[in-house]
C-alpha cells in the first residue's frame, strides 16, 4: 500500500501563510511599543492615539460613506441594466454587454484621467460628489456580472406564470424576480464596497482638497512614514470583518437548522 503524499496539504499551508502572515504581522505591530520594526513590548497606546487622531478617523468615515453611496448607486444601476439586458433580445446586445464591462478592463489610471477631464468639462466641484460618481461607475460591472449570471440561471417560466396569474410586470419583478436575484445583488454590492474602500488611483484624480479617503491618507503618510496607528486601524477593521463573517456563518447555520426542523 502506497503511503499517501502530504504535498497538497503542504501546498495549501504555504498559500495560507503567504496570504495571512503579512496580516498577522500588521496586527502584531499594532501592539508594539515602538515605531521601529522590532518587538519592544506590548502596548495599547497606538489604539488610544488612533481614537484621538481626527485626521485618520475623518478619512476613514469618508471612505465608509463613499463606499456605501457608490456601492448602493452601482447596485441600483447594475441590477436595472442586468434585468433589462436579460429580458430583451435586440441587435447589438452583445456589444452593449461588453461596453458595460469596460470599467473593470480599462487601467484605473486611464479611468482616473478620463473622469478628471469629464468632471472638469462639466464644471463639477471636486469632492464627495465626484468621488461617488467615479466609484459608482467602476463598481457597476461587479453587480451587473453577478445579477446577469443569476438571471441566466433562472427559469423564464416562473416570471411568465406570475404574469399569467394576473401580476403586473412590476409586481412580478418585486415578488418573484427580486427575491431570487437578491443574493447576487448582495454579493456584487459587497464586492463593489470592498473595491471602493480600497481604491487609490481613481480617488487621487477626482477628490477635492477638502475631502480625503483612508487609502489616500495612508498614501500621503508614506512620505513621512506610516505610524502604527494605521496598523491599529487595520486591526480594528480586520476584527470587524471577521466578526461579521462569523455572524453571517452563524446566521446561515441557524437558518439551515430551522429549515431542517420545519421539514
Amino acid at each position: 500500500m502506497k503511503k499517501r503524499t502530504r504535498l497538497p496539504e503542504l501546498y495549501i499551508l504555504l498559500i495560507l501563510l503567504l496570504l495571512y502572515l503579512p496580516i498577522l504581522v500588521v496586527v502584531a505591530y499594532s501592539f508594539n511599543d515602538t515605531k521601529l520594526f522590532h518587538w519592544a513590548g506590548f502596548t495599547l497606546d497606538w489604539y488610544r492615539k488612533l481614537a484621538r487622531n481626527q485626521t485618520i478617523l475623518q478619512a476613514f468615515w469618508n471612505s465608509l460613506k463613499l463606499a456605501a453611496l457608490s456601492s448602493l448607486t452601482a447596485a441600483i444601476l447594475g441590477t436595472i441594466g442586468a434585468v433589462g439586458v436579460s429580458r430583451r433580445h435586440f441587435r447589438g446586445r452583445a456589444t452593449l454587454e461588453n461596453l458595460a464591462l469596460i470599467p473593470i478592463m480599462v487601467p484605473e489610471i486611464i479611468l482616473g484621467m478620463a473622469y478628471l477631464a469629464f468632471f472638469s468639462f462639466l464644471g463639477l466641484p471636486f469632492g464627495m460628489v465626484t468621488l461617488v460618481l467615479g466609484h459608482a461607475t467602476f463598481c457597476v460591472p461587479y453587480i451587473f456580472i453577478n445579477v446577469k449570471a443569476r438571471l441566466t440561471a433562472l427559469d423564464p417560466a416562473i416570471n411568465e406564470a406570475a404574469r399569467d396569474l394576473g401580476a403586473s410586470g412590476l409586481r412580478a419583478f418585486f415578488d418573484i424576480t427580486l427575491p431570487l436575484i437578491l443574493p447576487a445583488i448582495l454579493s456584487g454590492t459587497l464586492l463593489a464596497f470592498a473595491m471602493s474602500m480600497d481604491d487609490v488611483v481613481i480617488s487621487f484624480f477626482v477628490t477635492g482638497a477638502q475631502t480625503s479617503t483612508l487609502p489616500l491618507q495612508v498614501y500621503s503618510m508614506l512620505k513621512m512614514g506610516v505610524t502604527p496607528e494605521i496598523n491599529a486601524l487595520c486591526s480594528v477593521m480586520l476584527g470587524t470583518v471577521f466578526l461579521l463573517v462569523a455572524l453571517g456563518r452563524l446566521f446561515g447555520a441557524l437558518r439551515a437548522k430551522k429549515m431542517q426542523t420545519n421539514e
Side-chain angles (χ1 to χ4, degrees), residues 245-262:
V245 171
L247 291 175
R249 294 294 297 271
L250 179 62
F251 176 77
L254 293 176
R255 185 178 179 183
K257 185 177 180 180
K258 183 178 179 180
M259 293 176 64
Q260 291 178 356
T261 303
N262 293 335

Side-chain angles (χ1 to χ4, degrees), residues 62-203:
N62 286 340
S63 292
L64 281 181
K65 181 167 64 174
L66 171 61
L69 291 174
S70 59
S71 59
L72 179 61
T73 304
I76 296 172
L77 296 177
T79 302
I80 293 175
V83 172
V85 169
S86 298
R87 289 185 175 180
R88 298 288 184 271
H89 298 277
F90 52 89
R91 183 181 300 176
R93 175 181 170 179
T95 303
L96 182 62
E97 292 179 3
N98 292 331
L99 288 175
L101 303 180
I102 282 181
I104 61 176
M105 295 186 290
V106 175
E108 285 192 346
I109 191 169
I110 303 299
L111 282 178
M113 294 172 63
Y115 294 150
L116 174 63
F118 182 68
F119 294 149
S120 298
F121 174 77
L122 294 179
L124 290 176
F126 287 89
M128 185 57 68
V129 174
T130 53
L131 281 168
V132 171
L133 291 175
H135 281 224
T137 303
F138 78 78
C139 285
V140 165
Y142 298 105
I143 291 92
F144 180 85
I145 293 173
N146 280 280
V147 175
K148 186 177 179 299
R150 179 59 178 157
L151 286 169
T152 303
L154 293 181
D155 188 356
I158 299 176
N159 190 68
E160 294 173 1
R163 298 297 302 273
D164 291 339
L165 292 173
S168 63
L170 196 61
R171 179 71 180 274
F173 173 77
F174 283 104
D175 289 352
I176 305 297
T177 306
L178 184 59
L180 293 174
I181 64 174
L182 188 58
I185 297 175
L186 292 177
S187 62
T189 303
L190 289 175
L191 180 58
F193 185 92
M195 297 299 295
S196 177
M197 282 286 294
D198 186 55
D199 182 77
V200 176
V201 179
I202 293 177
S203 300

